[in-house]
Amino acid sequence: LCGWELVEFHDGVGVAMADVGAATAPPAFVYQCQQCLSIVGDSFSQVAANQELMIICVSRASNITIDKKRKHSNDGYDKDCSYRAVNCEKCKAVVGKKYITTTPALDAMRHGVALSIAALKGYTLGTAPEPQSEDDGAPRNDVSMPPMMLVGFDAQRALDVRTTLMKIQTMILALNERVESLEKALQ
């Protein structure tokens, strides 16, 4: 198993990370063309994702070309949007879209390159297991990597969640101050 086998979205919110509840920064992912394994992007430049379209939007992509011909989507979640096809520079496979005009729900996709999850493989940096040797001391070649999990990310919803979390944090701090003053009064 090289690359990811599992692509999973959780309520359309989050960022690419292996453990949704983790307090640490999400691990770094490298996105590759599924056909030729050429690197086309990474999670450091990921700015959004869309569960309905199964796309990851990155602010910077590498080893890609963007078609000059403008296309228009007539159906699906990106109906009434215009875009240019994004191709892998090496093998010419279509790996995503560069949106030109979008509906309000997809505004975040205009600010980068929308990579199609179906056209990608990827891996998490730093997850390679320690090489194990056979009895004769030769390195093993069957080292596999754990599957990668992708959690969808909607920019507006993330902003709303952040605002709500800030309100909750403020409320908890205020309650903590009240509890401390009550405890001092009881002593």
Side-chain angles (χ1 to χ4, degrees):
L1 285 181
C2 220
W4 68 50
E5 229 177 43
L6 173 66
V7 174
E8 189 170 327
F9 287 91
H10 291 279
D11 301 327
V13 178
V15 293
M17 58 193 313
D19 181 4
V20 177
T24 59
F29 294 128
V30 173
Y31 307 120
Q32 298 173 283
C33 170
Q34 188 174 41
Q35 300 297 317
C36 68
L37 301 181
S38 181
I39 294 174
V40 294
D42 60 61
S43 62
F44 290 118
S45 63
Q46 182 176 331
V47 293
N50 184 282
Q51 181 175 357
E52 288 82 7
L53 294 173
M54 298 293 284
I55 56 175
I56 302 165
C57 187
V58 294
S59 59
R60 292 178 310 276
S62 56
N63 303 314
I64 60 154
T65 58
I66 299 174
D67 283 355
K68 293 182 188 214
K69 184 178 180 183
R70 184 177 184 152
K71 298 180 181 179
H72 190 78
S73 182
N74 295 319
D75 58 3
Y77 193 76
D78 65 349
K79 181 180 179 182
D80 298 327
C81 296
S82 62
Y83 64 92
R84 291 187 171 96
V86 174
N87 303 304
C88 173
E89 190 174 53
K90 184 176 178 184
C91 71
K92 309 299 182 220
V94 176
V95 294
K97 297 177 180 179
K98 173 67 175 148
Y99 283 99
I100 303 162
T101 61
T102 61
T103 58
L106 296 175
D107 274 348
M109 300 301 145
R110 281 184 297 150
H111 305 293
V113 175
L115 299 173
S116 171
I117 293 172
L120 301 176
K121 286 188 181 239
Y123 61 91
T124 306
L125 293 177
T127 59
E130 289 293 321
Q132 298 179 7
S133 299
E134 298 286 337
D135 291 337
D136 62 1
R140 292 180 52 183
N141 293 326
D142 63 343
V143 177
S144 63
M145 296 176 64
M148 179 171 90
M149 181 181 359
L150 174 71
V151 182
F153 175 64
D154 176 24
Q156 182 58 49
R157 191 158 175 203
L159 184 61
D160 294 344
V161 169
R162 182 178 178 171
T163 303
T164 302
L165 286 173
M166 294 297 285
K167 288 177 184 177
I168 292 170
Q169 182 182 15
T170 302
M171 187 63 134
I172 289 173
L173 289 172
L175 288 172
N176 185 47
E177 288 176 11
R178 289 179 70 187
V179 168
E180 285 178 355
S181 66
L182 287 172
E183 287 176 344
K184 284 181 182 178
L186 290 174
Q187 291 177 352

